[in-house]
Amino acid sequence: MVFSSILFLFRFFPVAMLLYYLAPRRYKNLVLLLESLVFYSWGEVRYFPIMIASILVDYIASNGIQRHRQSQAACRGFLLLSVVFNLGMLGFFKYTNFLLANLAGLTGLSFPTLGLTLPLGISFYTFQTMSYTIDVYRGKVRAENNIIDFGAFVVLFPQLIAGPIVRYTDVSRELKSRSITPAEIQEGVDIFIRGLGRKVLIANNIGALWTEVSAMNFDVISTPLAWLGIVAYTFQIYFDFSGYSQMAIGLGRMLGFRFPQNFDDPYIAKSATEFWRRWHMTLGSWFREYLYIPLGGNRCSFPRQVFNLFVVWAATGLWHGASWNFVLWGLYFFVFLVLEKAFLRPYLEKTRVLGHLYLLLLVVVSWAIFAITDFAALGRFLTAMFSLRPGTEWLYYLRNYGVTLLLAVFLST
């Protein structure tokens, strides 16, 4: 059930909000938990036990850490339980078939695939709950004793599908006491509608252009059409993802929560470093706090910093999908981030126009790597982009999608 669907907008949403607002204050988290479980189970009912298991395991692990502070071994054991369970579930459902396919390619043997489908939101809520247990272990937060409140945090339906990744520290106070005023509801509705517009009016429409181009033979499409298609995808992925995040933030505001911002006009950046401070900000923050800094962050020699960045960006690419093109996409950004850290960034910051053009070219090419999973097809598409292949068919598509492209350019600034 996606936020832009008729099912959500005219059935689930009004009923869920009515029940939530009518519920007494002390029962609001229970109502929210039940509604979120219904939302999760609507299209993924067979994975309902996985969500319950995720709630129970991290609840037990965090409270075990809290109760056994005097025993470092016990605390580490409970932390290990949470990390192994969360990464194990994510790895099993998301990467098992990927590993089997690669083993088959390496060994020449045949391995049957498991026919798994990815549980809704697993990439987000596993990171969310794992960070909570880590924060309890670090002593940053106290373990939540009320399993209803904790369950509501884990399965909170506004941010379950596509983030933002909401950490416990972001909403711990609001889980216990939050105000829901008409002004905040109105503000939430406004934010939600703007996000809905991004998704339906911009992303869906401009995405149709990329759908057409991606179905063509890359050996014969002209260079202008290749660029037109990938620019369309550049806008589609931004307005789709930022639109969902905005709808989630608006829904959260209507429920009395203030979720963190996830996008900050990333296409106006002047470097890859700045871009990743503006794009999917909650994911970048998660990897920085729970992987990059524990590896040593910037508090080490430059070669070690390069290694830390390599690990983080390989993991970031793999997090986005079980395919080697996503790993390549992550390492592509790793290369430019290292170059900027080494010497490039001061030059980019001196000339805003040059830095902006550099960033746009870098990002558009990166989305080609992200969008095309087959390396042979990717090679043909990149060849079409940079071979100066003539053609006039792009004029037809520019005429059909030109207005939406202009709107996308304007609204992404």
Side-chain angles (χ1 to χ4, degrees):
M1 194 189 316
V2 297
F3 296 154
S4 56
S5 68
I6 298 298
L7 176 63
F8 178 84
L9 290 172
F10 294 102
R11 295 185 184 180
F12 179 86
F13 173 69
V15 172
M17 287 300 179
L18 180 63
L19 293 175
Y20 178 77
Y21 292 140
L22 290 176
R25 184 180 297 272
R26 62 182 297 185
Y27 295 119
K28 284 195 184 297
N29 282 350
L30 175 60
V31 171
L32 187 57
L33 171 61
L34 294 175
E35 290 176 348
S36 297
L37 289 173
V38 170
F39 177 87
Y40 179 82
S41 302
W42 198 275
E44 297 284 349
V45 66
R46 62 176 173 160
Y47 291 139
F48 179 80
I50 295 172
M51 177 59 74
I52 299 300
S54 182
I55 294 171
L56 291 176
V57 167
D58 286 290
Y59 177 80
I60 291 169
S62 60
N63 280 275
I65 293 170
Q66 193 70 51
R67 288 195 299 269
H68 296 87
R69 287 290 184 191
Q70 71 281 1
S71 172
Q72 188 69 17
C75 289
R76 287 178 178 173
F78 282 114
L79 176 64
L80 188 62
L81 169 66
S82 172
V83 172
V84 169
F85 174 81
N86 284 293
L87 291 183
M89 294 300 292
L90 180 61
F92 176 74
F93 284 100
K94 195 168 185 176
Y95 303 108
T96 297
N97 288 333
F98 175 64
L99 291 174
L100 290 174
N102 282 279
L103 280 174
L106 288 172
T107 63
L109 301 175
S110 177
F111 296 96
T113 57
L114 301 184
L116 299 172
T117 57
L118 198 63
L120 181 69
I122 192 171
S123 296
F124 291 91
Y125 69 73
T126 49
F127 271 32
Q128 188 168 296
T129 54
M130 190 165 56
S131 68
Y132 160 76
T133 311
I134 294 171
D135 285 346
V136 173
Y137 177 80
R138 291 174 173 177
K140 293 181 65 174
V141 297
R142 286 188 59 82
E144 176 57 66
N145 292 319
N146 189 320
I147 194 169
I148 299 298
D149 292 352
F150 179 69
F153 157 69
V154 173
V155 75
L156 197 59
F157 76 85
Q159 47 82 58
L160 184 64
I161 299 177
I165 297 174
V166 178
R167 288 183 277 180
Y168 184 76
T169 51
D170 297 324
V171 295
S172 56
R173 183 180 300 176
E174 291 160 346
L175 278 170
K176 296 299 182 183
S177 177
R178 55 188 179 273
S179 62
I180 306 171
T181 65
E184 287 181 328
I185 295 172
Q186 181 178 344
E187 184 180 4
V189 170
D190 177 64
I191 295 171
F192 179 87
I193 289 174
R194 282 188 277 123
L196 183 65
R198 281 173 171 257
K199 163 63 179 168
V200 176
L201 301 179
I202 305 297
N204 287 1
N205 281 297
I206 203 65
L209 171 54
W210 170 246
T211 299
E212 290 191 58
V213 172
S214 63
M216 296 178 181
N217 183 354
F218 294 157
D219 289 323
V220 298
I221 64 171
S222 67
T223 295
L225 183 57
W227 278 96
L228 193 62
I230 200 59
V231 166
Y233 183 76
T234 297
F235 287 122
Q236 178 195 3
I237 195 168
Y238 169 60
F239 283 103
D240 196 307
F241 201 177
S242 65
Y244 267 118
S245 293
Q246 204 165 4
M247 285 189 278
I249 291 169
L251 287 169
R253 194 68 55 85
M254 290 182 237
L255 296 170
F257 295 93
R258 289 186 174 267
F259 296 157
Q261 187 178 0
N262 211 23
F263 289 86
D264 183 20
D265 297 328
Y267 290 160
I268 69 171
K270 303 183 296 295
S271 65
T273 304
E274 184 185 356
F275 175 80
W276 280 103
R277 290 174 181 165
R278 293 171 174 271
W279 179 279
H280 205 346
M281 297 154 66
T282 56
L283 179 67
S285 173
W286 197 99
F287 273 113
R288 182 170 59 252
E289 184 164 345
Y290 298 104
L291 186 57
Y292 184 66
I293 292 175
L295 286 171
N298 295 328
R299 306 182 309 277
C300 49
S301 64
F302 183 72
R304 175 67 192 200
Q305 290 180 43
V306 172
F307 173 77
N308 296 343
L309 285 170
F310 174 83
V311 173
V312 168
W313 284 97
T316 300
L318 199 57
W319 181 88
H320 280 84
S323 177
W324 284 113
N325 73 296
F326 294 113
V327 178
L328 177 62
W329 174 79
L331 295 180
Y332 170 88
F333 274 107
F334 154 75
V335 170
F336 284 97
L337 289 166
V338 169
L339 290 175
E340 290 178 12
K341 183 180 282 289
F343 68 91
L344 188 57
R345 195 175 178 201
Y347 296 100
L348 296 172
E349 292 179 343
K350 284 181 181 179
T351 309
R352 183 176 182 84
V353 173
L354 178 63
H356 189 57
L357 291 175
Y358 151 86
L359 183 278
L360 290 178
L361 176 62
L362 184 156
V363 167
V364 170
V365 173
S366 80
W367 290 133
I369 300 171
F370 189 92
I372 303 171
T373 58
D374 180 77
F375 281 161
L378 174 61
R380 294 196 300 272
F381 186 80
L382 292 175
T383 299
M385 287 179 66
F386 293 101
S387 63
L388 301 179
R389 189 182 296 158
T392 58
E393 76 279 28
W394 62 277
L395 292 170
Y396 166 80
Y397 293 97
L398 183 62
R399 183 171 65 249
N400 286 347
Y401 293 97
V403 173
T404 308
L405 277 168
L406 287 175
L407 284 172
V409 170
F410 176 74
L411 295 172
S412 62
T413 65

